[in-house]
Coordinates of all heavy atoms in Angstrom, one line a residue:
M1 N 110.1 108.7 80.6 CA 109.4 107.8 81.5 C 109.5 108.2 82.8 O 110.1 109.2 83.2 CB 110.1 106.4 81.3 CG 109.9 105.8 79.9 SD 108.2 105.3 79.7 CE 107.8 106.2 78.3
F2 N 108.8 107.4 83.7 CA 108.8 107.8 85.1 C 108.7 106.7 85.9 O 108.4 105.5 85.6 CB 107.6 108.7 85.4 CG 106.4 107.9 85.0 CD1 105.7 107.3 86.1 CD2 105.8 107.8 83.9 CE1 104.5 106.5 85.9 CE2 104.7 107.1 83.6 CZ 103.9 106.5 84.6
S3 N 108.9 106.9 87.3 CA 108.5 106.0 88.3 C 107.5 106.6 89.2 O 107.6 107.8 89.4 CB 109.7 105.3 89.1 OG 110.4 106.5 89.6
S4 N 106.7 105.8 89.9 CA 105.8 106.4 90.9 C 105.8 105.6 92.1 O 106.0 104.5 92.1 CB 104.4 106.6 90.2 OG 103.9 105.3 89.9
R5 N 105.4 106.3 93.3 CA 105.3 105.7 94.5 C 104.2 106.2 95.2 O 104.0 107.4 95.2 CB 106.6 106.0 95.3 CG 107.9 105.2 94.9 CD 109.0 105.6 95.9 NE 110.1 106.1 95.0 CZ 111.1 106.8 95.5 NH1 111.1 107.2 96.7 NH2 112.0 107.2 94.6
G6 N 103.5 105.3 95.9 CA 102.4 105.8 96.7 C 102.9 106.6 97.9 O 103.9 106.3 98.5
L7 N 102.2 107.7 98.2 CA 102.5 108.5 99.3 C 101.4 108.6 100.3 O 100.3 108.1 100.0 CB 102.8 110.0 98.8 CG 104.0 110.1 97.9 CD1 104.0 111.6 97.3 CD2 105.3 109.9 98.4
A8 N 101.6 109.2 101.4 CA 100.6 109.3 102.5 C 99.3 110.0 101.7 O 99.5 110.8 101.0 CB 101.0 110.2 103.6
G9 N 98.1 109.5 102.2 CA 96.9 110.1 101.6 C 96.6 109.7 100.1 O 95.8 110.2 99.5
G10 N 97.4 108.7 99.7 CA 97.0 108.2 98.3 C 97.7 108.9 97.2 O 97.5 108.7 96.1
A11 N 98.5 109.9 97.5 CA 99.1 110.9 96.5 C 100.1 110.1 95.7 O 100.6 109.0 96.3 CB 99.6 112.1 96.9
T12 N 100.6 110.4 94.6 CA 101.6 109.8 93.9 C 102.8 110.8 93.6 O 102.4 112.0 93.1 CB 101.1 109.3 92.5 OG1 100.2 108.3 92.9 CG2 102.2 108.7 91.7
R13 N 104.0 110.5 93.6 CA 105.1 111.2 93.3 C 105.8 110.7 92.0 O 106.0 109.6 91.9 CB 106.1 111.4 94.4 CG 107.3 112.3 93.9 CD 108.2 112.7 95.1 NE 107.5 113.5 95.9 CZ 107.7 113.5 97.4 NH1 108.4 112.7 97.8 NH2 107.1 114.4 98.0
L14 N 105.9 111.5 90.9 CA 106.5 111.2 89.7 C 107.8 111.6 89.6 O 108.1 112.8 89.9 CB 105.6 111.7 88.6 CG 104.0 111.3 88.6 CD1 103.4 112.0 87.5 CD2 103.9 109.9 88.4
H15 N 108.7 110.6 89.0 CA 110.1 111.0 88.9 C 110.4 110.7 87.5 O 110.8 109.7 87.1 CB 110.9 110.2 89.7 CG 110.6 110.3 91.3 ND1 111.2 111.3 91.9 CD2 109.9 109.7 92.0 CE1 110.9 111.2 93.3 NE2 110.1 110.3 93.3
P16 N 110.4 111.7 86.6 CA 110.6 111.4 85.2 C 112.1 111.3 84.9 O 113.0 111.9 85.5 CB 110.1 112.8 84.5 CG 110.1 113.7 85.5 CD 109.8 113.1 86.9
A17 N 112.4 110.5 84.0 CA 113.8 110.3 83.5 C 114.1 111.4 82.7 O 113.3 112.0 81.9 CB 114.0 109.0 82.7
P18 N 115.5 111.9 82.7 CA 116.0 113.1 81.9 C 115.6 112.8 80.4 O 115.7 111.5 79.9 CB 117.3 113.3 82.2 CG 117.6 112.4 83.2 CD 116.5 111.4 83.5
S19 N 115.2 113.8 79.6 CA 115.2 113.6 78.3 C 116.5 113.5 77.5 O 117.6 114.0 78.1 CB 114.4 114.9 77.5 OG 114.5 114.7 76.1
C20 N 116.7 112.9 76.5 CA 118.0 112.8 75.7 C 118.2 114.1 75.0 O 119.3 114.3 74.4 CB 117.9 111.6 74.9 SG 116.9 111.7 73.4
L21 N 117.2 115.0 74.9 CA 117.5 116.3 74.1 C 117.7 117.3 75.1 O 116.9 117.5 76.1 CB 116.3 116.6 73.3 CG 115.9 115.5 72.2 CD1 114.6 115.8 71.4 CD2 117.1 115.3 71.2
P22 N 118.8 118.1 75.1 CA 119.2 119.0 76.1 C 118.3 120.2 76.3 O 118.1 120.7 77.3 CB 120.5 119.5 75.7 CG 120.6 119.1 74.2 CD 119.9 118.1 74.0
G23 N 117.4 120.5 75.3 CA 116.5 121.7 75.3 C 115.2 121.2 76.2 O 114.5 122.3 76.6
D24 N 115.0 120.1 76.4 CA 113.9 119.5 77.1 C 114.2 119.8 78.7 O 114.7 118.8 79.2 CB 113.5 118.1 76.8 CG 113.0 117.9 75.5 OD1 112.7 118.8 74.8 OD2 112.9 116.8 75.1
A25 N 113.7 120.8 79.3 CA 113.9 121.1 80.6 C 112.6 121.2 81.5 O 112.7 121.6 82.6 CB 114.6 122.4 80.7
D26 N 111.5 120.7 80.9 CA 110.3 120.8 81.6 C 109.5 119.5 81.2 O 109.9 118.7 80.3 CB 109.4 122.0 81.2 CG 108.5 122.3 82.3 OD1 108.3 121.7 83.3 OD2 107.6 123.3 82.0
Y27 N 108.3 119.3 81.9 CA 107.5 118.1 81.7 C 106.1 118.4 81.8 O 105.7 119.2 82.6 CB 107.9 117.0 82.8 CG 109.3 116.6 82.7 CD1 110.2 117.2 83.6 CD2 109.8 115.5 81.9 CE1 111.6 116.9 83.6 CE2 111.1 115.2 81.9 CZ 112.0 115.8 82.7 OH 113.3 115.5 82.8
A28 N 105.3 117.7 81.0 CA 103.8 117.7 81.0 C 103.5 116.4 81.7 O 104.1 115.4 81.4 CB 103.1 117.9 79.7
V29 N 102.5 116.4 82.4 CA 101.9 115.3 83.1 C 100.6 114.9 82.6 O 99.6 115.7 82.6 CB 101.9 115.3 84.6 CG1 101.4 114.0 85.3 CG2 103.3 115.7 85.0
Y30 N 100.3 113.7 82.2 CA 99.0 113.1 81.7 C 98.5 111.9 82.4 O 99.3 111.2 83.1 CB 99.1 112.7 80.2 CG 99.4 113.9 79.3 CD1 100.7 114.3 79.0 CD2 98.3 114.7 78.7 CE1 101.0 115.3 78.3 CE2 98.6 115.7 77.9 CZ 99.9 116.0 77.8 OH 100.2 117.1 76.9
E31 N 97.2 111.7 82.6 CA 96.6 110.6 83.3 C 95.6 109.9 82.3 O 94.9 110.5 81.6 CB 95.9 111.0 84.6 CG 95.2 110.0 85.3 CD 94.5 110.5 86.5 OE1 93.3 111.0 86.3 OE2 95.0 110.5 87.6
G32 N 95.5 108.6 82.5 CA 94.6 107.8 81.7 C 93.9 106.8 82.5 O 94.4 106.5 83.6
E33 N 93.1 105.9 81.9 CA 92.4 104.7 82.6 C 93.1 103.5 82.2 O 93.3 103.3 80.9 CB 90.9 104.8 82.2 CG 90.3 103.8 83.0 CD 88.8 103.7 82.7 OE1 88.2 104.7 82.2 OE2 88.2 102.5 82.8
L34 N 93.6 102.7 83.1 CA 94.2 101.4 82.7 C 93.2 100.6 81.8 O 92.0 100.6 82.1 CB 94.5 100.6 83.9 CG 95.6 101.0 84.8 CD1 95.7 100.2 86.1 CD2 96.9 100.9 84.0
G35 N 93.7 100.0 80.9 CA 92.9 99.3 79.8 C 92.4 100.2 78.8 O 92.0 99.5 77.6
A36 N 92.4 101.4 78.8 CA 92.0 102.4 77.8 C 93.2 103.2 77.6 O 93.3 104.5 77.9 CB 90.8 103.2 78.3
Y37 N 94.3 102.6 76.9 CA 95.7 103.3 76.9 C 95.7 104.5 76.0 O 96.9 105.0 75.9 CB 96.7 102.2 76.6 CG 96.8 101.3 77.8 CD1 96.3 99.9 77.7 CD2 97.2 101.7 79.0 CE1 96.3 99.2 78.7 CE2 97.3 100.7 80.0 CZ 96.9 99.5 79.9 OH 97.0 98.7 81.0
E38 N 94.6 104.9 75.4 CA 94.6 106.2 74.6 C 93.8 107.2 75.2 O 93.4 108.1 74.5 CB 94.2 105.8 73.2 CG 95.2 104.9 72.5 CD 95.0 104.5 71.0 OE1 94.1 105.2 70.4 OE2 95.5 103.6 70.5
S39 N 93.5 107.0 76.4 CA 92.5 107.9 77.2 C 93.1 109.0 77.9 O 92.5 109.8 78.6 CB 91.6 107.0 78.1 OG 92.5 106.5 79.1
H40 N 94.5 109.1 77.8 CA 95.2 110.1 78.7 C 94.8 111.6 78.4 O 94.5 112.0 77.2 CB 96.8 109.9 78.5 CG 97.3 109.6 77.3 ND1 97.4 108.3 76.8 CD2 97.8 110.4 76.2 CE1 98.0 108.4 75.7 NE2 98.1 109.5 75.2
V41 N 94.6 112.3 79.5 CA 94.4 113.7 79.5 C 95.3 114.5 80.4 O 95.9 113.9 81.2 CB 92.8 114.0 79.9 CG1 91.8 113.3 78.9 CG2 92.6 113.5 81.4
G42 N 95.4 115.7 80.1 CA 96.4 116.6 80.9 C 96.1 116.9 82.3 O 94.9 117.1 82.6
L43 N 97.0 116.6 83.1 CA 96.9 117.0 84.6 C 97.7 118.3 84.9 O 97.3 119.1 85.6 CB 97.6 115.8 85.5 CG 96.8 114.6 85.6 CD1 97.4 113.6 86.5 CD2 95.3 114.8 86.1
S44 N 98.9 118.4 84.1 CA 99.7 119.6 84.3 C 100.5 119.7 83.1 O 101.1 118.8 82.6 CB 100.7 119.4 85.6 OG 101.5 120.4 85.7
C45 N 100.5 121.0 82.6 CA 101.3 121.3 81.4 C 102.7 121.6 81.7 O 103.5 121.7 80.7 CB 100.6 122.3 80.5 SG 99.1 121.7 79.7
S46 N 103.0 121.7 82.9 CA 104.3 122.1 83.3 C 104.6 121.7 84.8 O 103.8 121.8 85.6 CB 104.6 123.6 83.2 OG 105.9 124.0 83.8
T47 N 105.8 121.2 85.0 CA 106.2 121.0 86.3 C 107.3 122.0 86.8 O 107.8 122.0 87.9 CB 107.0 119.6 86.5 OG1 108.2 119.7 85.7 CG2 106.2 118.4 86.0
G48 N 107.3 123.2 86.0 CA 108.2 124.3 86.3 C 109.7 123.8 86.2 O 110.5 124.5 86.9
G49 N 109.9 122.8 85.5 CA 111.3 122.2 85.4 C 111.7 121.3 86.5 O 112.7 120.7 86.5
A50 N 110.7 121.2 87.4 CA 110.8 120.1 88.6 C 111.0 118.8 88.0 O 110.1 118.4 87.2 CB 109.9 120.2 89.7
T51 N 111.8 117.9 88.6 CA 111.9 116.5 88.2 C 111.1 115.6 89.2 O 111.2 114.4 89.1 CB 113.3 116.1 88.1 OG1 114.0 116.2 89.3 CG2 114.1 116.7 87.0
S52 N 110.3 116.1 90.0 CA 109.4 115.5 90.9 C 108.1 116.2 91.0 O 108.2 117.4 91.2 CB 110.2 115.2 92.2 OG 109.3 114.5 93.1
I53 N 107.0 115.6 91.0 CA 105.7 116.2 91.2 C 104.8 115.3 91.9 O 104.8 114.1 91.8 CB 105.2 116.7 89.9 CG1 103.9 117.4 90.1 CG2 104.9 115.5 89.0 CD1 103.2 117.9 88.8
S54 N 104.1 115.9 92.9 CA 103.0 115.0 93.6 C 101.7 115.3 93.0 O 101.4 116.4 92.6 CB 103.1 115.5 95.2 OG 104.3 115.0 95.7
I55 N 101.0 114.2 92.8 CA 99.5 114.3 92.3 C 98.6 113.9 93.3 O 98.8 112.9 94.0 CB 99.6 113.5 91.0 CG1 100.5 114.0 90.0 CG2 98.1 113.5 90.6 CD1 100.7 113.1 88.8
K56 N 97.5 114.5 93.3 CA 96.4 114.2 94.3 C 96.0 112.7 94.0 O 96.0 112.3 92.9 CB 95.4 115.1 94.1 CG 95.6 116.5 94.6 CD 94.5 117.5 94.4 CE 94.9 118.9 94.8 NZ 93.8 119.9 94.7
P57 N 95.4 112.2 95.2 CA 94.8 110.8 95.1 C 93.8 110.6 93.9 O 93.0 111.5 93.6 CB 94.2 110.7 96.3 CG 94.7 111.6 97.3 CD 95.1 112.8 96.4
R58 N 93.8 109.7 93.4 CA 92.8 109.3 92.3 C 92.7 107.8 92.1 O 93.2 107.0 92.9 CB 93.3 109.8 90.8 CG 94.6 109.4 90.5 CD 95.4 110.4 89.7 NE 96.5 109.7 89.2 CZ 97.7 109.5 89.9 NH1 97.7 110.0 91.1 NH2 98.7 109.0 89.4
P59 N 91.8 107.3 91.3 CA 91.5 105.9 91.3 C 92.7 105.0 91.0 O 93.7 105.4 90.4 CB 90.5 105.6 90.1 CG 90.0 107.1 89.8 CD 91.0 108.0 90.2
E60 N 92.7 103.7 91.7 CA 93.8 102.8 91.3 C 94.0 102.4 90.0 O 94.9 101.8 89.4 CB 93.7 101.7 92.3 CG 94.0 102.0 93.6 CD 94.1 100.8 94.6 OE1 94.4 99.6 94.1 OE2 93.9 100.9 95.9
S61 N 92.8 102.6 89.1 CA 92.8 102.2 87.8 C 93.4 103.3 86.9 O 93.2 103.2 85.6 CB 91.3 101.9 87.4 OG 90.6 103.1 87.5
A62 N 94.1 104.2 87.5 CA 94.7 105.3 86.6 C 96.1 105.0 86.3 O 96.8 104.3 87.0 CB 94.6 106.7 87.4
Y63 N 96.6 105.5 85.2 CA 98.1 105.4 84.8 C 98.5 107.0 84.5 O 97.7 107.7 84.2 CB 98.4 104.5 83.6 CG 97.9 105.0 82.3 CD1 98.6 105.9 81.6 CD2 96.5 104.7 81.9 CE1 98.2 106.3 80.3 CE2 96.1 105.0 80.6 CZ 96.8 105.9 79.9 OH 96.5 106.3 78.6
D64 N 99.8 107.2 84.6 CA 100.4 108.5 84.5 C 101.4 108.4 83.2 O 102.2 107.3 83.1 CB 101.1 108.9 85.8 CG 100.1 109.0 87.0 OD1 99.2 109.7 86.8 OD2 100.4 108.3 87.9
L65 N 101.5 109.4 82.6 CA 102.6 109.6 81.6 C 103.1 110.9 81.9 O 102.6 111.9 82.1 CB 101.9 109.6 80.1 CG 101.4 108.3 79.6 CD1 100.7 108.6 78.2 CD2 102.5 107.4 79.4
V66 N 104.6 111.0 81.9 CA 105.3 112.2 82.0 C 106.0 112.3 80.7 O 106.7 111.4 80.2 CB 106.3 112.1 83.1 CG1 107.1 113.4 83.3 CG2 105.6 111.8 84.5
V67 N 105.8 113.5 80.0 CA 106.3 113.9 78.7 C 107.2 115.0 78.8 O 106.9 116.1 79.3 CB 105.1 114.1 77.7 CG1 105.5 114.4 76.3 CG2 104.0 112.9 77.7
P68 N 108.4 114.9 78.2 CA 109.4 116.0 78.1 C 108.8 117.1 77.2 O 108.2 116.8 76.2 CB 110.7 115.4 77.6 CG 110.3 114.2 76.8 CD 109.0 113.6 77.4
T69 N 109.1 118.4 77.6 CA 108.7 119.5 76.9 C 109.9 120.5 76.7 O 110.8 120.4 77.7 CB 107.6 120.2 77.3 OG1 107.9 121.0 78.5 CG2 106.4 119.2 77.5
N70 N 109.9 121.4 75.9 CA 110.9 122.4 75.8 C 110.3 123.8 75.7 O 110.9 124.8 75.6 CB 111.8 122.4 74.6 CG 111.2 122.4 73.3 OD1 109.9 122.8 73.2 ND2 111.9 122.2 72.2
G71 N 108.9 123.9 76.2 CA 108.1 125.1 76.1 C 107.5 125.4 74.8 O 106.5 126.3 74.7
V72 N 108.0 124.8 73.7 CA 107.4 125.0 72.4 C 106.8 123.8 71.8 O 105.7 123.7 71.2 CB 108.5 125.4 71.4 CG1 108.0 125.5 69.9 CG2 109.2 126.7 71.9
R73 N 107.2 122.6 72.2 CA 106.7 121.3 71.6 C 107.0 120.3 72.8 O 107.8 120.4 73.7 CB 107.4 120.8 70.4 CG 108.9 120.6 70.6 CD 109.3 119.2 70.5 NE 110.7 119.1 70.8 CZ 111.1 118.5 71.8 NH1 110.4 118.1 72.9 NH2 112.5 118.3 72.0
E74 N 106.2 119.2 72.8 CA 106.4 118.1 73.6 C 107.0 116.8 72.9 O 106.8 116.8 71.6 CB 105.2 117.7 74.6 CG 103.9 117.4 73.7 CD 102.7 117.2 74.5 OE1 102.6 117.7 75.7 OE2 101.9 116.4 74.3
G75 N 107.7 116.0 73.5 CA 108.3 114.9 72.9 C 107.4 113.7 72.9 O 106.2 113.6 73.0
S76 N 108.1 112.5 72.9 CA 107.4 111.2 73.0 C 106.6 110.9 74.3 O 107.1 111.2 75.4 CB 108.5 110.2 72.7 OG 108.0 108.9 72.7
Y77 N 105.5 110.1 74.0 CA 104.8 109.6 75.2 C 105.1 108.2 75.5 O 104.6 107.6 76.4 CB 103.3 109.6 74.8 CG 102.5 110.9 74.7 CD1 103.0 112.1 74.2 CD2 101.3 111.1 75.5 CE1 102.3 113.3 74.2 CE2 100.6 112.4 75.5 CZ 101.3 113.4 74.9 OH 100.6 114.6 74.9
G78 N 106.2 107.9 74.9 CA 106.8 106.4 75.1 C 106.3 105.5 74.2 O 105.5 105.8 73.2
L79 N 106.7 104.3 74.2 CA 106.4 103.3 73.3 C 105.5 102.3 73.8 O 105.6 101.8 74.9 CB 107.6 102.6 72.7 CG 108.7 103.5 72.1 CD1 109.9 102.7 71.6 CD2 108.1 104.2 70.9
R80 N 104.5 101.7 72.9 CA 103.7 100.6 73.4 C 104.3 99.4 72.7 O 105.3 99.4 72.0 CB 102.3 100.7 72.7 CG 101.5 101.9 73.1 CD 100.2 102.0 72.4 NE 100.2 101.8 70.8 CZ 99.1 102.1 70.2 NH1 98.0 102.3 70.7 NH2 99.2 101.9 68.8
S81 N 103.7 98.2 73.1 CA 104.1 97.0 72.4 C 103.7 97.1 71.1 O 102.5 97.5 70.8 CB 103.6 95.8 73.2 OG 104.2 95.7 74.4
P82 N 104.2 96.6 70.0 CA 105.7 96.2 70.0 C 106.5 97.4 69.4 O 106.9 97.3 68.2 CB 105.6 95.1 69.0 CG 104.5 95.4 68.0 CD 103.5 96.2 68.8
G83 N 106.8 98.4 70.2 CA 107.6 99.4 69.7 C 106.9 100.5 69.0 O 107.5 101.3 68.3
I84 N 105.5 100.7 69.2 CA 104.8 101.7 68.4 C 104.7 102.8 69.4 O 104.4 102.6 70.5 CB 103.5 101.0 68.1 CG1 103.6 100.0 67.2 CG2 102.5 102.2 67.4 CD1 102.3 99.1 67.0
E85 N 104.8 104.1 68.9 CA 104.6 105.3 69.5 C 103.2 105.4 70.2 O 102.2 105.1 69.5 CB 104.8 106.5 68.8 CG 106.3 106.9 68.6 CD 107.0 107.6 69.8 OE1 106.3 108.2 70.7 OE2 108.2 107.4 69.9
R86 N 103.1 105.7 71.5 CA 101.8 106.0 72.0 C 101.2 107.3 71.4 O 102.0 108.2 71.1 CB 101.9 106.4 73.6 CG 102.0 105.0 74.4 CD 101.8 105.5 75.9 NE 102.2 104.4 76.7 CZ 103.3 104.0 77.2 NH1 104.3 104.9 77.2 NH2 103.5 103.0 77.8
P87 N 99.8 107.4 71.1 CA 99.3 108.6 70.5 C 99.5 109.7 71.5 O 99.4 109.6 72.7 CB 98.0 108.2 70.2 CG 97.5 107.2 71.1 CD 98.9 106.4 71.5
Q88 N 99.5 110.9 70.9 CA 99.5 112.1 71.8 C 98.0 112.3 72.2 O 97.1 111.9 71.7 CB 99.8 113.4 70.8 CG 99.9 114.6 71.6 CD 100.3 115.8 70.7 OE1 100.0 115.7 69.4 NE2 101.1 116.9 71.2
A89 N 97.9 113.0 73.4 CA 96.6 113.3 74.0 C 95.7 114.2 73.2 O 96.3 115.0 72.5 CB 96.8 113.9 75.4
A90 N 94.4 113.9 73.1 CA 93.6 114.8 72.4 C 93.6 116.2 72.9 O 93.4 117.0 72.1 CB 92.2 114.1 72.4
T91 N 93.8 116.2 74.2 CA 94.0 117.6 74.8 C 95.4 118.0 75.1 O 95.8 118.3 76.2 CB 93.1 117.8 76.1 OG1 93.5 116.7 76.9 CG2 91.6 117.5 75.7
A92 N 96.3 117.8 74.2 CA 97.8 118.0 74.4 C 98.1 119.4 74.8 O 97.4 120.3 74.5 CB 98.5 117.6 73.2
C93 N 99.1 119.6 75.6 CA 99.6 120.9 76.1 C 100.2 121.6 75.0 O 100.1 122.9 74.8 CB 100.5 120.7 77.3 SG 99.8 120.0 78.8
L94 N 101.1 120.9 74.1 CA 101.8 121.5 73.0 C 101.8 120.6 71.9 O 101.5 119.5 72.0 CB 103.3 121.8 73.5 CG 103.5 122.7 74.7 CD1 105.0 122.6 75.2 CD2 103.3 124.2 74.3
P95 N 102.1 121.1 70.7 CA 102.3 120.3 69.6 C 103.3 119.4 69.8 O 104.4 119.6 70.6 CB 102.7 121.3 68.5 CG 102.4 122.6 68.8 CD 102.3 122.6 70.4
Q96 N 103.3 118.2 69.2 CA 104.3 117.2 69.4 C 105.4 117.1 68.3 O 105.0 117.3 67.2 CB 103.6 115.7 69.5 CG 104.6 114.7 69.9 CD 103.9 113.3 70.1 OE1 103.1 113.0 69.3 NE2 104.1 112.6 71.2
E97 N 106.6 116.9 68.7 CA 107.7 116.7 67.8 C 108.6 115.6 68.4 O 109.1 115.8 69.5 CB 108.5 118.0 67.6 CG 109.7 117.7 66.5 CD 110.6 119.0 66.4 OE1 109.9 120.2 66.6 OE2 111.7 118.9 66.2
I98 N 108.6 114.4 67.7 CA 109.5 113.4 68.1 C 110.7 113.4 67.3 O 110.8 113.3 66.2 CB 108.7 112.0 68.0 CG1 107.5 112.1 68.9 CG2 109.6 110.9 68.5 CD1 106.6 110.9 68.6
S99 N 111.9 113.5 68.1 CA 113.3 113.5 67.5 C 113.9 112.3 68.0 O 113.8 111.8 69.1 CB 113.9 114.8 67.9 OG 113.2 115.9 67.6
A100 N 114.9 111.9 67.1 CA 115.8 110.7 67.6 C 116.8 111.3 68.5 O 117.3 112.6 68.4 CB 116.5 110.2 66.4
C101 N 117.2 110.5 69.4 CA 118.3 110.9 70.4 C 119.5 111.1 69.7 O 119.8 110.1 69.0 CB 118.3 110.0 71.6 SG 116.8 110.0 72.7
P102 N 120.4 112.0 70.2 CA 121.6 112.1 69.4 C 122.7 111.0 69.9 O 122.4 110.3 70.9 CB 122.2 113.5 69.9 CG 121.3 113.9 71.0 CD 120.1 113.1 70.9

């Protein structure tokens, strides 16, 4: 998951929470349109391991997803109500593997 804050010029800085799996040392970033919650597409397949990334301005109707990766697979996109996994992006960076936290 992540938190975002508006920055000067309308940019957004994302702060992903650490993954519960120790091998997940990188993140992929996706964007979608509010109200169309399966519309997310890739913005960045890697943050280079950084836990903060700034994204250029975009419409206020956009949402962001930050997904943990380990360079071979990406993890969960988070849960929708009522606890259902969000679907993987049609243009995913890596194959998805969802594992339970230890």
Side-chain angles (χ1 to χ4, degrees):
M1 290 293 120
F2 64 93
S3 62
S4 61
R5 288 183 235 156
L7 300 173
T12 300
R13 179 168 291 143
L14 303 175
H15 301 275
S19 173
C20 66
L21 300 176
D24 291 345
D26 200 2
Y27 300 91
V29 181
Y30 294 89
E31 176 183 87
E33 182 182 338
L34 289 174
Y37 294 107
E38 296 181 13
S39 65
H40 37 271
V41 295
L43 288 180
S44 174
C45 287
S46 173
T47 65
T51 56
S52 179
I53 182 173
S54 293
I55 297 175
K56 293 180 182 178
R58 57 211 188 281
E60 288 189 26
S61 61
Y63 68 88
D64 302 303
L65 288 174
V66 180
V67 180
T69 73
N70 66 7
V72 177
R73 60 108 188 114
E74 57 185 30
S76 175
Y77 283 49
L79 302 176
R80 305 184 299 191
S81 298
I84 300 169
E85 277 288 331
R86 281 190 187 98
Q88 187 177 30
T91 57
C93 295
L94 295 166
Q96 186 178 48
E97 181 182 327
I98 300 173
S99 302
C101 291

